[in-house]
Amino acid sequence: MADVNEVDERDKIDELMVQLARGRVALGVAAFAAPGLTVRAMGMGRGADGGRDFVTRMFAAREIALGAGYLLSGEEGRKLWARLGLGVDSLDVVTGLSGRKRVPLWAAAGALAVSGSAAALGAAKVARDVLR
């Protein structure tokens, strides 16, 4: 039987995962609706660029799918979506580290902070699920 602290910790992680999923959906919708504005806000480009907008919308679809998948799933389904999100966020960290010199420092730091935080939260959720 779980003690009160363990249940409270699990609830905190689960609530943070719900907030992360909501943020994914919001970011995805914004990036899909206005890819140029989204990229400019992230400090990664100005002007018209059809290829960039295409890739940004692909990113948007991924974020919407990961967030909605988590939000629409029950407890067992969320375990799978948490693992998928952890994989994606971990790859985003690797991408951010390897491409750091090709974007402004503040943009790379921001992207790494977001993807690193999401990966850390996902790792906590996956570890909690495995240890249950």
Side-chain angles (χ1 to χ4, degrees):
M1 182 176 212
D3 68 9
V4 173
N5 291 335
E6 186 177 325
V7 171
D8 286 346
E9 186 65 26
R10 185 169 40 241
D11 291 344
K12 289 176 190 174
I13 291 171
D14 291 339
E15 181 55 33
L16 288 171
M17 287 295 293
V18 167
Q19 295 304 321
L20 174 61
R22 289 178 179 156
R24 284 187 192 280
V25 172
L27 175 61
V29 168
F32 193 86
L37 179 62
T38 302
V39 171
R40 275 193 307 280
M42 296 170 72
M44 301 209 191
R46 296 198 175 278
D49 185 337
R52 180 204 60 215
D53 291 353
F54 176 78
V55 171
T56 301
R57 284 193 168 115
M58 288 172 52
F59 157 80
R62 175 193 87 170
E63 290 301 304
I64 293 168
L66 286 170
Y70 191 86
L71 293 171
L72 296 173
S73 293
E75 186 175 341
E76 286 304 309
R78 285 183 172 185
K79 291 178 182 180
L80 173 61
W81 283 105
R83 287 170 173 80
L84 293 169
L86 173 58
V88 167
D89 295 327
S90 297
L91 289 172
D92 285 348
V93 169
V94 170
T95 299
L97 291 171
S98 66
R100 199 325 278 143
K101 293 185 179 183
R102 293 184 293 272
V103 297
L105 178 60
W106 70 269
L112 284 167
V114 170
S115 59
S117 297
L121 179 57
K125 168 71 171 150
V126 169
R128 176 66 68 189
D129 291 344
V130 168
L131 295 175
R132 271 198 198 173

